[in-house]
């Protein structure tokens, strides 16, 4: 599949996909609504394919890249599911310990796009660790629909505890310096905000991409620094930002926030037509600069 230019896809289709991807609409309803659209030159199949991920498009850094080494590592999570597992990517040229970045997936497990993000960070000189929330159920199933069902079936608090345990694991890793950041997308954006509030003594810098804030009883504990990336056409997430920003301002938290014009929720994910290359590259360059500044 090649990308369909997003300008040919009605905003309604993006909005319905967002509802479907976040469990607020079943697949039958999603497809029925797509069928109601009149989209010149596009079949419903082509439209559906454009909106759903094609992970063959998402690889920017090969797992065979000679500059990095990737492996799977288990970690203890006594307050979560007992044992977790993540994708660890380490730069091969490491004369001394390097800062680590926890990479948090969307609401469907550790898919190929998130693993590629981890490899991109390792190419920038960071130790990247991307846990799979679905590991207790056998791991990401290779299918996003099934992955969403699996993650939705799990205890949310135990998943959160698994990510706390993962942050402790990577901070204590022998190759890690004393600095740890977190970057996450969608659900992972929420987890990034959650970790910044729950364990601010562990997280030295957080970069949520289109993520909602931590729960009301935690959000005032955020210490920062934070770099927050939002899509303009993302009313569900953006509705939570004004109140969150007022709390950050009141607590004098060091934060930067950017809303990227004419973008959709998921604009950094280069496997769907929601991908917006210029915004994704700008947000990513800001992310790498931010981590270099605060984790070095």
């Amino acid at each position: 599949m090649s990308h369909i230019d997003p300008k040919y896809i009605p905003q309604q289709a993006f909005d319905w996909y967002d509802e479907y991807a976040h469990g607020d609409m079943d697949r039958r309803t999603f497809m029925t609504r797509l069928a109601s659209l009149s989209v010149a030159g596009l079949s419903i199949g082509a439209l559906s394919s454009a909106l759903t991920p094609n992970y063959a498009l998402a690889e920017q850094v090969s797992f065979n890249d000679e500059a990095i080494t990737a492996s799977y590592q288990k970690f203890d999570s006594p307050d979560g599911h007992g044992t977790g597992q993540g994708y660890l990517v380490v730069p091969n040229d490491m004369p001394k310990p390097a800062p680590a970045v926890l990479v948090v997936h969307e609401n469907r497990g550790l898919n190929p796009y998130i693993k590629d993000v981890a490899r991109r960070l390792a190419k920038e000189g960071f130790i990247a660790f991307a846990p799979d929330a679905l590991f207790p159920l056998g791991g990401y199933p290779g299918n996003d629909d099934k992955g969403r069902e699996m993650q939705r079936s799990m205890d949310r608090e135990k998943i959160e505890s698994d990510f706390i345990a993962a942050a402790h694991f990577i901070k204590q890793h022998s190759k890690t310096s004393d600095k740890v950041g977190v970057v996450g997308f969608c659900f992972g954006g929420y987890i990034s905000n959650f970790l910044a509030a729950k364990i601010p003594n562990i997280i030295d810098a957080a970069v949520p991409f289109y993520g909602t804030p931590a729960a009301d009883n935690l959000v005032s504990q955020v210490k920062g620094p934070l770099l927050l990336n939002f899509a303009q056409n993302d009313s569900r997430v953006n509705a939570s930002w004004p109140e969150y920003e007022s709390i950050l301002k009141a607590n004098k938290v060091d934060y930067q926030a950017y809303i990227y014009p004419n973008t959709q929720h998921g604009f950094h994910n280069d496997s769907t037509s929601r991908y917006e290359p210029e915004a994704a590259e700008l947000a990513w360059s800001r992310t790498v600069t931010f981590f270099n500044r605060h984790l070095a």
Side-chain angles (χ1 to χ4, degrees):
M1 183 200 85
S2 60
H3 280 306
I4 294 171
D5 191 325
K7 71 185 178 194
Y8 296 119
I9 299 177
Q11 183 61 43
Q12 271 189 309
F14 286 117
D15 293 343
W16 291 335
Y17 178 75
D18 188 62
E19 289 184 58
Y20 165 59
H22 291 92
D24 298 325
M25 183 187 299
D26 61 32
R27 182 171 179 80
R28 182 187 296 272
T29 304
F30 173 58
M31 296 301 289
T32 299
R33 289 192 178 181
L34 284 188
S36 72
L37 294 176
S38 175
V39 183
L42 285 183
S43 69
I44 297 306
L47 189 55
S48 174
S49 294
L51 289 166
T52 52
N54 178 347
Y55 290 121
L57 299 173
E59 186 174 85
Q60 294 188 21
V61 179
S62 169
F63 69 90
N64 287 319
D65 192 297
E66 294 181 355
I68 59 174
T69 297
S71 63
Y72 292 95
Q73 300 289 326
K74 292 185 173 64
F75 59 91
D76 293 330
S77 182
D79 296 326
H81 290 94
T83 303
Q85 179 174 283
Y87 183 67
L88 179 69
V89 195
V90 179
N92 288 334
D93 183 14
M94 280 183 55
K96 61 181 181 179
V101 177
L102 198 67
V103 185
V104 189
H105 58 68
E106 306 120 317
N107 64 339
R108 64 210 71 165
L110 182 59
N111 60 42
Y113 154 64
I114 296 297
K115 291 166 75 174
D116 193 63
V117 170
R119 293 193 294 269
R120 296 175 209 174
L121 281 163
K123 288 278 283 186
E124 296 287 348
F126 300 99
I127 292 172
F129 190 54
D132 187 353
L134 303 185
F135 175 72
L137 300 183
Y140 175 71
N143 174 285
D144 273 21
D145 283 350
K146 180 63 177 173
R148 269 191 295 271
E149 289 177 20
M150 291 167 65
Q151 191 162 324
R152 199 158 54 235
S153 76
M154 299 173 73
D155 184 296
R156 177 74 165 251
E157 290 187 5
K158 284 190 174 183
I159 290 177
E160 292 171 351
S161 293
D162 287 342
F163 282 103
I164 292 170
H168 283 277
F169 167 81
I170 198 59
K171 189 175 183 73
Q172 295 160 5
H173 196 281
S174 61
K175 293 186 177 182
T176 301
S177 71
D178 62 348
K179 296 292 187 179
V180 174
V182 59
V183 61
F185 306 85
C186 182
F187 166 79
Y190 158 74
I191 289 291
S192 299
N193 283 316
F194 165 77
L195 293 177
K198 185 72 173 178
I199 50 171
N201 58 319
I202 299 293
I203 300 299
D204 297 292
V207 184
F209 275 75
Y210 22 85
T212 52
D216 290 346
N217 63 322
L218 287 176
V219 69
S220 63
Q221 297 178 27
V222 173
K223 294 288 191 294
L226 295 174
L227 170 65
L228 305 107
N229 295 299
F230 296 98
Q232 183 180 38
N233 299 319
D234 191 4
S235 56
R236 180 182 58 84
V237 169
N238 295 352
S240 66
W241 173 233
E243 183 177 355
Y244 189 18
E245 184 176 33
S246 69
I247 293 170
L248 297 179
K249 285 181 175 177
N251 292 337
K252 296 181 170 57
V253 174
D254 178 4
Y255 78 93
Q256 304 166 50
Y258 297 97
I259 298 176
Y260 295 83
N262 304 313
T263 54
Q264 308 292 333
H265 181 95
F267 71 82
H268 184 267
N269 186 333
D270 51 356
S271 67
T272 83
S273 286
R274 297 185 296 171
Y275 177 52
E276 176 48 59
E278 289 186 10
E281 289 168 17
L282 177 56
W284 187 247
S285 69
R286 285 171 170 165
T287 297
V288 172
T289 298
F290 182 79
F291 282 145
N292 278 322
R293 180 183 307 130
H294 294 290
L295 303 181

